[in-house]
Amino acid sequence: MNTETENQEGLEALSRHYYDILRLLGEDPDREGLQKTPLRVAKAMQVLTRGYNEDPHKVLTDALFEEPYNQMVIVKDIDFFSMCEHHILPFYGKAHVAYIPKGRITGLSKIARVVDIYSHRLQVQERLTQQIMDCIQSTLHPMGVMVVLEARHMCMQMRGVEKQNSITTTSAFSGAFNQAKTREEFMNLLRE
């Protein structure tokens, strides 16, 4: 079975479930404004979780180059959007990723693609941060990797504590970034 067929079957099943959800919420899923909503939501969920069907390691190795550069490479302000696995509500923000190459570099856009792939799965911010760092470390084998995510969580803004201005920051680092001086250099470059 090809991916398109599997996607279509998944789409139909999701659509039926969203139809039932609307009904269980007290809505009439057959009324004019909601007739296509189950299908639209099903399509949206497939897009929002497309990261399950992509290999972030392959993305990095598809653009791998031998290069003697051994200083910090930073890709900052990478926009990301994800879905909290606890409430299936969005969280979104900026990712900042640095690595120190050891003989091999990858295309800069590939770093952003890794963030995109992992963020398009049901997530918690802490795991997302760690997965990005682990992927780059295990694929490129650099001297070190550091990832910082800053995000706003709709599950905190729309429900529960309803704190609209809160931002959650997480970090993960390896190798050379275990040294406070290297982490400090990265953080200073982020502030510039």
Side-chain angles (χ1 to χ4, degrees):
M1 189 179 296
N2 68 35
T3 319
E4 192 173 302
T5 307
E6 289 174 4
N7 223 14
Q8 188 59 39
E9 287 176 8
L11 187 63
E12 291 168 10
L14 278 171
S15 184
R16 285 191 301 274
H17 287 294
Y18 283 116
Y19 180 93
D20 289 341
I21 288 169
L22 288 172
R23 192 176 43 73
L24 289 168
L25 291 173
E27 269 292 353
D28 174 9
D30 293 315
R31 74 175 169 82
E32 183 181 15
L34 291 177
Q35 286 176 355
K36 294 183 181 178
T37 297
L39 182 61
R40 284 191 293 262
V41 176
K43 285 179 179 178
M45 286 305 290
Q46 283 188 337
V47 169
L48 294 171
T49 59
R50 69 180 180 257
Y52 290 116
N53 302 317
E54 299 176 278
D55 182 353
H57 299 279
K58 185 176 181 334
V59 165
L60 289 175
T61 57
D62 280 351
L64 202 55
F65 309 100
E66 298 295 322
E67 188 63 46
Y69 186 79
N70 65 356
Q71 301 299 313
M72 197 179 301
V73 176
I74 300 174
V75 182
K76 64 182 185 175
D77 295 328
I78 302 166
D79 290 319
F80 75 89
F81 302 87
S82 194
M83 298 290 281
C84 165
E85 69 181 33
H86 299 145
H87 302 98
I88 316 293
L89 288 172
F91 67 96
Y92 61 95
K94 302 275 186 193
H96 315 289
V97 180
Y99 76 102
I100 301 173
K102 187 167 54 177
R104 299 189 312 172
I105 61 170
T106 190
L108 296 175
S109 68
K110 305 309 179 189
I111 301 293
R113 288 279 298 125
V114 168
V115 172
D116 189 52
I117 290 169
Y118 282 116
S119 66
H120 279 82
R121 299 175 181 185
L122 297 180
Q123 281 288 8
V124 294
Q125 184 174 333
E126 298 87 344
R127 182 187 320 119
L128 175 58
T129 307
Q130 188 71 40
Q131 286 176 329
I132 295 164
M133 192 271 303
D134 287 343
C135 178
I136 295 167
Q137 183 65 49
S138 66
T139 307
L140 300 181
H141 306 288
M143 288 186 260
V145 179
M146 184 158 180
V147 177
V148 173
L149 298 186
E150 301 170 302
R152 294 180 181 275
H153 292 251
M154 298 308 285
C155 57
M156 283 184 62
Q157 294 178 324
M158 294 175 66
R159 54 158 307 283
V161 295
E162 296 183 12
K163 299 301 178 205
Q164 281 69 36
N165 297 312
S166 65
I167 295 175
T168 302
T169 303
T170 51
S171 67
F173 50 87
S174 66
F177 289 95
N178 284 311
Q179 299 171 18
K181 183 178 177 185
T182 309
R183 284 195 311 276
E184 186 177 323
E185 178 185 349
F186 172 64
M187 297 308 287
N188 286 338
L189 290 168
L190 284 186
R191 290 184 200 106
E192 288 180 5

